[in-house]
Amino acid sequence: MVERKIPSHVAIIMDGNGRWAERRGKERSKGHIEGSKNVEKIATHAFKLGVKTLTLYAFSSENWSRPEKEVRELMRLLKTYLVKFAKKFAKKDVRLVVSGSREELSKDLVDAICECENLSKENKDFTLNIAINYGGRQEIVRAVNNLIKKGEEVTVDSILDNLYTSPFGEPDLIIRTGGEYRISNFLLFQGAYSELYFTDVLWPDFNETELEKALDDFSRRKRRFGGVKNV
Ligand code: FPP
C-alpha cells in the first residue's frame, strides 16, 4: 500500500451529466440537477480528506453555445447552489470564490456570487473555487492585459500572479470524469505540471470512493516538474 499523499489543490472537470440523463431517458437538464447535488458531497469529502482547495469547472466560456434552455437551467442551478452555499458551507469555514468573466452573467447571479464571496471571505481552512464562464485561454489574455495596463513585465511568475487561482496556487491534480481525454480550455497555464486523472465514471455517479481512487492514483505518481528528482 502506498501512503496516501493528499494534493493541496484538486480541480475537477465535471463531465457526463448529459449522458447520465440520456441513458435514463431523461432530459439533459436532469443530469445537471443530479450533477449539482453531487458537488456538496464531493467537496465535503475532499475537504475531510485534507484537500485545501477544490476548483470545479461548472460553466466554460464555450458553454454558451449550448441550447438556450440548457444554459438557462445551468444558470438557475448555479444561482440556487450559491444561495444554498451562503447558508450552509460558509459556516463550515469554507471560502467560496468564483473564477471567470462576470460580464456576460445576469445581475442576479453576480449578486449571489458577490454575497457568497463576501460572506465567506474570512474563512481560512478550505476554498471552493467555482469556475463559471471560465476559459483558460481567456484567463491568460486577461492576465497579460492586466500586466500591460499596470506597466509590469510579462513573465511566467507575473502571469501566475494575475490568474484567478493566484491566491491558492497551481492545481496538483486535475480530474476529468465522463470518459473524454482532453482538458477543454481548463487551467491551461497553472495546470502545466498538474497530474491528470481520467475516469469513465459520469459526474453524477462520481462518489466518495471514486474520489479516493483518484487520490490513491495521485499518491503513486512521481512528480519531477521537468527535473530528475521526485518531488
Ligand atoms: C458537463 O457535462 C457538465 C457541465 C457543462 C456543467 C457542470 C455543471 C454542474 C455539475 C452543475 C452545476 C454546478 C455547480 C457548481 C452547482 P455535459 O453536459 O457536457 O455531459 P455530456 O458530455 O454527457 O453531454
Side-chain angles (χ1 to χ4, degrees):
M1 259 290 274
V2 179
E3 194 195 335
R4 187 180 276 159
K5 276 185 273 171
I6 298 297
S8 168
H9 183 177
V10 175
I12 309 183
I13 302 175
M14 307 178 286
D15 196 16
N17 293 345
R19 275 164 291 159
W20 184 93
E22 281 158 11
R23 283 179 197 173
R24 287 163 177 76
K26 296 179 177 176
E27 279 185 47
R28 291 175 57 80
S29 61
K30 293 283 178 293
H32 295 312
I33 293 172
E34 212 53 39
S36 75
K37 285 187 201 155
N38 209 22
V39 166
E40 186 175 341
K41 186 168 81 186
I42 293 300
T44 303
H45 198 58
F47 296 143
K48 192 175 129 204
L49 293 173
V51 170
K52 292 289 174 204
T53 302
L54 182 67
T55 294
L56 298 176
Y57 205 6
F59 192 89
S60 78
S61 334
E62 288 72 34
N63 283 154
W64 296 106
S65 64
R66 292 189 174 211
E68 202 190 313
K69 192 172 160 218
E70 186 172 338
V71 170
R72 217 180 317 123
E73 180 62 7
L74 277 167
M75 292 297 148
R76 185 191 70 78
L77 281 171
L78 286 167
K79 199 185 135 209
T80 310
Y81 180 80
L82 290 167
V83 170
K84 213 172 94 186
F85 170 89
K87 297 202 184 87
K88 221 170 157 190
F89 243 161
K91 290 190 193 131
K92 298 188 189 164
D93 215 13
V94 178
R95 179 175 178 198
L96 182 121
V97 289
V98 170
S99 296
S101 166
R102 298 189 186 178
E103 272 172 35
E104 294 84 358
L105 303 181
S106 71
K107 186 179 175 305
D108 271 13
L109 182 55
V110 174
D111 288 348
I113 293 171
C114 293
E115 199 190 326
C116 282
E117 286 185 335
N118 262 328
L119 199 79
S120 65
K121 65 176 187 283
E122 305 297 340
N123 292 355
K124 299 260 179 320
D125 284 358
F126 310 105
T127 302
L128 181 61
N129 173 30
I130 304 186
I132 302 177
N133 195 21
Y134 170 88
R137 289 175 170 173
Q138 292 82 341
E139 183 186 30
I140 297 167
V141 171
R142 172 182 173 271
V144 173
N145 277 327
N146 279 346
L147 289 166
I148 293 170
K149 260 188 240 148
K150 290 187 276 184
E152 288 176 23
E153 196 185 350
V154 178
T155 64
V156 169
D157 284 340
S158 70
I159 292 180
L160 281 172
D161 284 346
N162 280 271
L163 298 177
Y164 295 113
T165 47
S166 73
F168 28 87
E170 300 166 37
D172 300 292
L173 172 67
I174 299 179
I175 298 171
R176 181 176 188 136
T177 64
E180 310 280 5
Y181 294 82
R182 55 176 172 261
I183 211 74
S184 300
N185 203 14
F186 189 45
L187 306 177
L188 297 183
F189 200 86
Q190 57 280 70
Y193 281 101
S194 304
E195 296 298 323
L196 305 178
Y197 178 87
F198 297 96
T199 171
D200 287 340
V201 176
L202 305 175
W203 171 251
D205 294 327
F206 187 84
N207 57 20
E208 289 98 334
T209 310
E210 295 299 332
L211 176 67
E212 292 192 25
K213 271 198 226 169
L215 298 185
D216 286 340
D217 192 85
F218 173 83
S219 302
R220 290 189 290 272
R221 306 284 179 96
K222 308 268 183 265
R223 304 189 77 191
R224 288 187 286 278
F225 298 90
V228 289
K229 287 202 189 114
N230 297 335
V231 178

